[in-house]
Amino acid sequence: MFWFIRVSGKALGLMYALEPIVAALIAFVFVGERLSMQGYFGALLVVGGILISQWLEQRKKIATYAASTS
């Protein structure tokens, strides 16, 4: 019942960012709906933005750890 207390803001933001893509996948599986080229491009932008933000966050953590241990 109190699962939302244990979810970080970053994880929740990622879940909300992926919501349109999950909705498109569910529509494809259950209804057979297809995306237009603009839809695929938008999905690519969403996933790409998420991957880049996670990659930059990981690099920042590694740099912070390396600076604190040396």
Side-chain angles (χ1 to χ4, degrees):
M1 178 153 179
F2 297 105
W3 63 271
F4 58 88
I5 294 172
R6 291 178 268 168
V7 176
S8 70
K10 187 187 334 179
L12 194 59
L14 289 174
M15 284 188 272
Y16 280 129
L18 287 173
E19 182 181 1
I21 295 172
V22 172
L25 287 172
I26 290 171
F28 175 74
V29 170
F30 290 108
V31 185
E33 187 172 330
R34 299 250 177 186
L35 289 177
S36 65
M37 196 54 110
Q38 290 175 335
Y40 285 118
F41 184 67
L44 179 69
L45 286 175
V46 169
V47 171
I50 290 170
L51 291 175
I52 289 171
S53 70
Q54 291 300 305
W55 177 66
L56 291 174
E57 184 70 29
Q58 188 67 23
R59 282 185 48 161
K60 187 178 3 173
K61 284 182 184 178
I62 291 170
T64 304
Y65 177 74
S68 67
T69 58
S70 49

